Amino acid sequence: MDTLNRTGENGATPFRTDRFFSVSDKWYFSTREGFDSGPYANKSRAEEGLKRFLKVAQIVPHDEQHRITRAHRIY
């Protein structure tokens, strides 16, 4: 778990956990939006899926009307 503030953060360090987890030999990642994406064949594929998700999240408008509410799956 990361116990240091990131660049631009002030105050107490927020709780953080690893985004990746496995269930029955399948890998998933969790998002701040509250959903899990997977299953992926291995952790490396889950990491690639998270990178793709983050790229999409950067181009989606961040106002309340356009929040990401559904998981996308990239295997």
Side-chain angles (χ1 to χ4, degrees), residues 21-34:
F21 62 96
S22 64
V23 176
S24 299
D25 297 325
K26 300 294 182 187
W27 283 88
Y28 300 80
F29 67 84
S30 297
T31 70
R32 293 180 185 166
E33 292 77 19

Side-chain angles (χ1 to χ4, degrees), residues 1-73:
M1 182 172 71
D2 188 359
T3 59
L4 301 174
N5 280 342
R6 295 176 182 160
T7 303
E9 289 181 336
N10 297 315
T13 304
F15 177 78
R16 295 190 178 108
T17 185
D18 192 9
R19 289 184 182 230
F20 302 98
F21 62 96
S22 64
V23 176
S24 299
D25 297 325
K26 300 294 182 187
W27 283 88
Y28 300 80
F29 67 84
S30 297
T31 70
R32 293 180 185 166
E33 292 77 19
F35 58 82
D36 302 330
S37 181
Y40 295 90
N42 54 49
K43 187 175 182 182
S44 178
R45 296 258 178 149
E47 290 169 342
E48 291 171 15
L50 175 60
K51 287 177 187 175
R52 289 184 187 121
F53 171 84
L54 293 173
K55 284 182 182 180
V56 170
Q58 289 176 356
I59 61 173
V60 172
H62 290 94
D63 66 359
E64 202 62 31
Q65 297 290 328
H66 296 93
R67 292 187 68 182
I68 300 171
T69 57
R70 295 180 53 193
H72 79 287
R73 295 177 183 223

